[in-house]
């Protein structure tokens, strides 16, 4: 059974397979995050050095057996959280779990980490779906799934009821299929002044990310390290950006965009169509 890569990179974060030499860094991250974790994770109420060492030992064993693939989320070589691919939802499926240091939330870092993890998951033999499951009261976890483009498919009672103080006892299940991941979103730019529409569809990749081409012409919506998400024409000239500034998420943001060409400028809404990347 071929495992995923032991180290991954995604925008501003790096992922590294959990090793026993991560003990001090992980213990520190858990200690600093404890108030943030206790409402949602039963294990966080009773942590210590031995429990953390036991976790790292379990991650090593499960990697070797193929049960789960756990990673440290790092930024500038500092451990700031964890994410894991787990084989516990049946044949052909993987589940993603994650948490992040509270001082690092709100920056899209866990979304970046889970983007890399999802790509690795679909690179494994026989995987046709990946799911994210969280308690219905944990809106932050749901926001990550939504930004990644997963589709909410079901809400079911938690098998053992609420186990942590903030939990409702209702689980939300989000899913991405391999077909959805491969084809990516379809979206439309709608001009504010007159409702003019330009539709874009997935067409290859650019700088390691999905690329999208306007269906009626040679205009592209792509990401680059220099520009973030932007639109450009065939000769490479940039013609549009998100109006609020640079965007570096996994897909073009469903937001207001500003176009510019010669002396003209217009505002557009980017509307994602029903499907895996809906806003």
């Amino acid at each position: 059974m071929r495992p995923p890569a032991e180290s991954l990179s995604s925008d501003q974060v790096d992922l590294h397979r959990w090793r026993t030499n991560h003990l001090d860094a992980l213990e520190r991250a858990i200690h600093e995050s404890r108030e943030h974790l206790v409402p949602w994770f039963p294990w966080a109420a009773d942590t210590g050095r031995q429990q953390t060492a036991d976790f790292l030992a379990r991650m090593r064993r499960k990697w070797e057996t193929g049960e789960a693939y756990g990673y440290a989320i790092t930024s500038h070589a500092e451990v700031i959280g964890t994410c894991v691919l787990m084989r516990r939802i049946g044949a052909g499926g993987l589940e993603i779990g994650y948490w992040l240091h509270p001082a690092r939330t709100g920056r899209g870092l866990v979304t970046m980490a889970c983007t890399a993890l999802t790509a690795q998951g679909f690179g494994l033999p026989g995987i046709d779906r990946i799911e994210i499951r969280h308690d219905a009261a944990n809106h932050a976890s749901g926001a990550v799934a939504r930004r990644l483009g997963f589709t909410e498919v079901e809400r079911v009672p938690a098998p053992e009821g609420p186990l942590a103080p903030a939990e409702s006892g209702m689980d939300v299940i989000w899913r991405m299929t391999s077909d959805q991941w491969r084809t990516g979103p379809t979206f439309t730019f709608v001009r504010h002044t007159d409702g003019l529409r330009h539709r874009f569809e997935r067409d290859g990749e650019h700088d390691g990310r999905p690329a999208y081409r306007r269906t009626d012409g040679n205009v592209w919506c792509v990401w680059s390290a220099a520009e973030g998400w932007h639109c450009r024409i065939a000769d490479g000239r940039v013609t549009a950006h998100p109006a609020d500034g640079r965007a570096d998420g996994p897909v073009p943001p469903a937001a207001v965009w500003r176009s510019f060409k010669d002396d003209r400028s217009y505002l557009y809404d980017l509307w994602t169509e029903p499907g895996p990347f809906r806003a």
Side-chain angles (χ1 to χ4, degrees):
M1 184 182 300
R2 178 173 60 84
E6 296 191 1
S7 294
L8 309 169
S9 293
S10 181
D11 289 350
Q12 302 170 45
V13 298
D14 296 306
L15 278 60
H16 301 285
R17 175 184 171 181
W18 282 119
R19 300 284 189 180
T20 54
N21 61 6
H22 285 119
L23 178 58
D24 290 341
L26 178 56
E27 186 179 28
R28 180 170 57 254
I30 292 174
H31 175 73
E32 294 174 356
S33 305
R34 189 170 183 276
E35 289 187 14
H36 176 70
L37 297 173
V38 165
W40 306 110
F41 297 99
W43 57 262
D46 183 23
T47 57
R49 190 171 181 83
Q50 186 57 53
Q51 288 90 334
T52 304
D54 291 344
F55 166 79
L56 293 175
R58 287 196 303 274
M59 286 292 95
R60 177 182 58 80
R61 291 194 301 270
K62 289 185 176 183
W63 186 290
E64 293 170 354
T65 63
E67 292 178 73
Y69 305 106
Y71 293 85
I73 303 174
T74 70
S75 179
H76 303 291
E78 178 187 356
V79 172
I80 60 171
T82 184
C83 58
V84 58
L85 282 169
M86 299 167 282
R87 294 184 187 270
R88 63 182 191 186
I89 60 170
L94 292 169
E95 182 181 346
I96 290 179
Y98 46 83
W99 64 263
L100 195 71
H101 193 298
R104 300 303 189 98
T105 59
R107 308 179 194 179
L109 301 181
V110 75
T111 304
M112 297 173 195
C114 290
T115 297
L117 208 60
T118 302
Q120 282 292 301
F122 281 127
L124 297 178
I127 299 302
D128 58 28
R129 70 191 188 283
I130 294 177
E131 294 182 356
I132 293 173
R133 301 184 178 207
H134 64 87
D135 188 85
N138 191 342
H139 302 298
S141 284
V144 172
R146 186 177 295 107
R147 286 195 299 271
L148 286 165
F150 281 58
T151 302
E152 182 182 331
V153 295
E154 195 173 12
R155 295 190 176 217
V156 297
E160 300 178 3
L163 298 176
E167 289 186 335
S168 68
M170 181 65 66
D171 285 344
V172 183
I173 302 174
W174 301 76
R175 183 175 298 149
M176 173 75 72
T177 68
S178 56
D179 286 343
Q180 289 170 332
W181 180 256
R182 184 177 63 253
T183 58
T186 296
F187 56 84
T188 301
F189 283 105
V190 182
R191 194 158 69 186
H192 284 196
T193 54
D194 56 7
L196 177 68
R197 294 171 178 245
H198 297 300
R199 188 168 183 263
F200 284 71
E201 294 181 346
R202 173 77 179 267
D203 192 340
E205 294 187 351
H206 181 272
D207 278 8
R209 302 226 189 160
Y212 309 91
R213 187 173 61 85
R214 205 169 91 182
T215 55
D216 64 349
N218 202 6
V219 180
W220 295 81
C221 184
V222 296
W223 179 91
S224 72
E227 298 283 351
W229 282 106
H230 63 282
C231 292
R232 61 171 58 176
I233 55 178
D235 64 7
R237 282 182 292 167
V238 175
T239 58
H241 274 298
D244 288 341
R246 183 185 177 95
D248 288 303
V251 295
V256 176
W257 286 56
R258 182 181 296 278
S259 73
F260 39 88
K261 186 177 180 182
D262 300 326
D263 60 347
R264 293 169 293 163
S265 179
Y266 298 97
L267 293 178
Y268 289 81
D269 289 323
L270 188 154
W271 289 359
T272 53
E273 299 182 10
F277 285 87
R278 67 190 178 201

